[in-house]
Amino acid sequence: MADAIQSREDPSGVTGIGNGPQVVSTSGTLDVIAGPLLNYRRTSNQQTGQPVWHGSVLVVTTPGQQNPTLVLSPAGAVDANVGDVRFSVDARTFSGEKLYEDPKRAFWRFILDVPFQQFESRWKYDIQNLVYVDQKRSEKPQIFAIPSITQSMRIMFHSCNGFSVGTDVEAWSGPALWNDVLRMHAERPFHVMLGGGDQIYNDGVRVDGPLKAWTAIGNPHKRRDYPFPETMRADCDEYYFQNYVKWYGQRPFSTANGQIPQVNIWDDHDIIDGFGSYTDHFMKCAVFRGIGGVAHKYYLLFQHHLAPPKSTYTTDAPKTTSVGEKGTTPADPVQLKDTFVMTDDVGDPSYIIGHKPGPYVEERSRSIYCQLGARIAFAGIDARTERTRHQINYPETYRLLFDRLDKEYTANKDLKHLILLLGVPIAYPRLAWLENILQSPLIAPIKFLNKRFGLAGGFFNQFDGKVDLLDDLDDHYTARQHKAERRELIQLLQNFSKKFSARVTILGGDVHLGAIGRFYSNPKHQIPAEQDWRYIPNIISSAITNKPPPQAVANLLARRNKIHHLDHDTDETLLEIFDRDPGINAKGERVATNGTNGATNGAANGDAKIDKKTSDANHATMPSRNYAIICESNLPPSATLSAPTPAPGQAPSINGSTLSTPPAKKDNPRHPIHVGEQGAGTQHPAAGGIVPTGLCGPYGLDVSLRVEISNSDREGRTDGYGFSIPALQINEGLRDQGSRW
């Protein structure tokens, strides 16, 4: 058994642990189970000053494959008007690195680097001799786009890419909105897609998977004390792998995976619903610790293209139940039988690794920093690995993040914007009143009847017997136990924004509806948004696939859209951006357009039903599937696509000196508070998601929230709701005004 955990050199040129399955494929083809999956990692600068794009491609194959290769070659300029162009590189060949192999599958990674060009460029990659095990799939080269040296990236943001247990998938047309993503990508390509968590739903592991019998145990104490033996670990390992293969191999999502580079963080459904937000004593039970390790293994492989830990938690191997500074150690020889795991994977400089393992996923958190083209930086906080019911991240993790931001922005004065990705919204209506009701003594009699007779079975979760909705409420930054952590994070962001004159925009998902939250300076300060370092929008885009909450829930949240005070200097509320339901014109009529910003003719003629989404009074929350497009308002001088002329009565573009009038105390801040928010909604120039508006200064951003018109439209067509975010122009006289840090 000792031989199984000896380190060895793999034929692909990497060092690993374990001897692998000891089989060699003789087919002459690369037999692929899943992939290719394309990731973006970071940008670096060569000594010559030319920036370099770094990414990776992952394929999952049958075991025994030998040294696969990938050929990368130029595929022309994105803009046809550029004409005949010369690339700075010719076709290149990249060798695969084996990350992991067992008797059923192997994971191969290709690390790519591509020099940026003076023009927006397309690149083709072709994995040699690729043949799919599933003969219904066909192999072909993939093409992706990279911005020019002077461009920032065009961003697609999504979250909640799966279905909750019990959802009628056919009634919701499956992952239909990915068809719309691909249509928009074909019109003007995305350079990156940001996954905000729940890229896959693994909740079925407790319904039709290996945790079904455990979940059915009626006594919570017996369920908590249940072991997680090697047999259960192996069954869960197989379940998570097969669920990834099924979901990531499903069109049209699989098509997007191969053409649009991904950057992902994870959330609870990537593990199991509510993971991290149940009571501490239950979260520490053997089964939760075990599935946390298995889910983390496949999260690293499929979503980050990284080698997994050598082994994960199981009660059959007592040494795996102790946690060291770097996670679960030492390796379990049983799990490494006939298995190979890369051990010299240095990861990537884009990762910000936590100082110590999380409390339930016993590995260190993995936050991300990278540059998205010329002027935008990105940070994604791993808000699940360290999460408990009372904390979202360790204080040390926030320090690591802001130390990294300080270092990067000090070194690069061209950075004008920070996009921060969180798993859940942070500028969102308060729900403390609902928490009070669900935790009050009034619930006790119902809970007793549930335990004795099964009354209100769907109201209580199957794990710790608490009200099922509480784990979702406890996830929110606005939950009472996260209030201080939330305030401190926003104040750190404001301080960063003021110091570097960089606008901050936050992305958040999870809540299965669309909304736009904003923090901004209290009107008493009379600071224009263009100069307001406290103005931080929160783009809430969720879900791209899962079904939305009922209309009544969205309307209730809209009624709770009060003006809140983060502190003495900062207010917050949702922007009323939803001027009408998707697929409906200003007269309340169904509309038909052939473009991307509307329904198809078929849908308009009654082939797809369009239900009313919200009440007439709700303009703040949209219970319909959606995703977001984010790009700079102004194209670089080398581009030929021109911004539109403002329509009559619409605010003109600002040139860096024209400022919006700050809201007065009597004004309603749910309405627009600066030029870019004026006319927010379906008639805003940014709504279409294609043509830059020219609004909000040379470094402003355009945002299009793409909202599904009808869940019975299998093409997933959307309407767009637009607004623009101003660049930050710090007024030196205001730098110290109102500062309370």
Side-chain angles (χ1 to χ4, degrees), residues 15 36 85 117 149 261 326 384 475 478 497 526:
T15 302
V85 295
Q117 307 297 308
I149 289 175
K326 294 186 178 181
R384 187 53 54 181
D475 259 2
T478 51
S497 181
Q526 283 294 284

Coordinates of all heavy atoms in Angstrom, one line a residue, residues 15 36 85 117 149 261 326 384 475 478 497 526:
T15 N 5.1 16.1 -11.8 CA 5.3 15.3 -10.6 C 4.0 15.1 -9.9 O 3.3 16.0 -9.7 CB 6.4 15.9 -9.6 OG1 7.6 16.1 -10.3 CG2 6.6 15.0 -8.5
P36 N -14.0 20.9 -24.4 CA -13.1 21.8 -23.6 C -13.7 22.9 -22.8 O -14.8 23.4 -23.2 CB -12.2 22.4 -24.8 CG -13.1 22.5 -25.9 CD -14.0 21.3 -25.8
V85 N -4.6 42.0 -41.4 CA -3.7 42.3 -40.3 C -2.7 41.3 -40.1 O -2.8 40.1 -40.5 CB -4.6 42.4 -39.0 CG1 -5.6 43.6 -39.1 CG2 -5.3 41.1 -38.7
Q117 N -2.8 42.1 -29.1 CA -2.5 42.8 -30.4 C -3.0 44.3 -30.3 O -3.6 44.7 -29.4 CB -3.2 42.1 -31.5 CG -2.9 40.6 -31.6 CD -1.4 40.3 -31.8 OE1 -0.8 40.8 -32.8 NE2 -0.8 39.4 -31.0
I149 N -4.8 45.9 -27.1 CA -4.0 46.5 -26.0 C -4.7 47.7 -25.3 O -4.5 47.9 -24.1 CB -2.6 46.9 -26.6 CG1 -1.8 45.6 -26.9 CG2 -1.8 47.8 -25.6 CD1 -0.4 45.9 -27.6
P261 N -13.9 32.7 -22.2 CA -13.1 32.4 -21.0 C -13.8 32.7 -19.7 O -14.4 33.7 -19.5 CB -11.8 33.3 -21.2 CG -11.8 33.6 -22.7 CD -13.2 33.7 -23.1
K326 N -2.5 23.7 6.0 CA -2.8 23.8 4.6 C -4.0 22.9 4.2 O -4.2 22.8 3.0 CB -1.5 23.4 3.8 CG -0.4 24.4 4.0 CD 0.8 24.0 3.1 CE 1.9 25.0 3.3 NZ 3.1 24.7 2.4
R384 N -17.5 31.3 0.4 CA -18.1 30.1 0.9 C -17.2 29.2 1.7 O -17.6 28.6 2.7 CB -18.5 29.3 -0.4 CG -19.4 28.1 -0.1 CD -20.6 28.3 0.8 NE -21.5 29.4 0.3 CZ -22.6 29.7 1.0 NH1 -22.9 29.2 2.1 NH2 -23.3 30.7 0.5
D475 N -27.4 33.7 4.8 CA -26.4 33.9 3.8 C -26.2 35.4 3.4 O -25.2 35.8 3.0 CB -26.8 33.2 2.5 CG -26.0 31.9 2.3 OD1 -25.2 31.6 3.2 OD2 -26.2 31.2 1.3
T478 N -27.0 41.4 4.5 CA -27.9 42.2 5.3 C -28.5 41.5 6.5 O -29.2 42.1 7.3 CB -29.1 42.8 4.4 OG1 -29.7 41.7 3.8 CG2 -28.6 43.8 3.4
S497 N -11.4 53.3 -3.0 CA -11.9 54.1 -4.1 C -11.4 55.5 -4.0 O -10.9 56.1 -5.0 CB -13.4 54.1 -4.1 OG -13.9 54.8 -5.2
Q526 N -23.8 66.7 -0.6 CA -23.9 67.4 -1.9 C -22.7 67.1 -2.8 O -22.1 68.0 -3.4 CB -24.2 68.9 -1.8 CG -25.6 69.2 -1.3 CD -26.6 68.9 -2.4 OE1 -26.7 69.6 -3.4 NE2 -27.3 67.8 -2.2

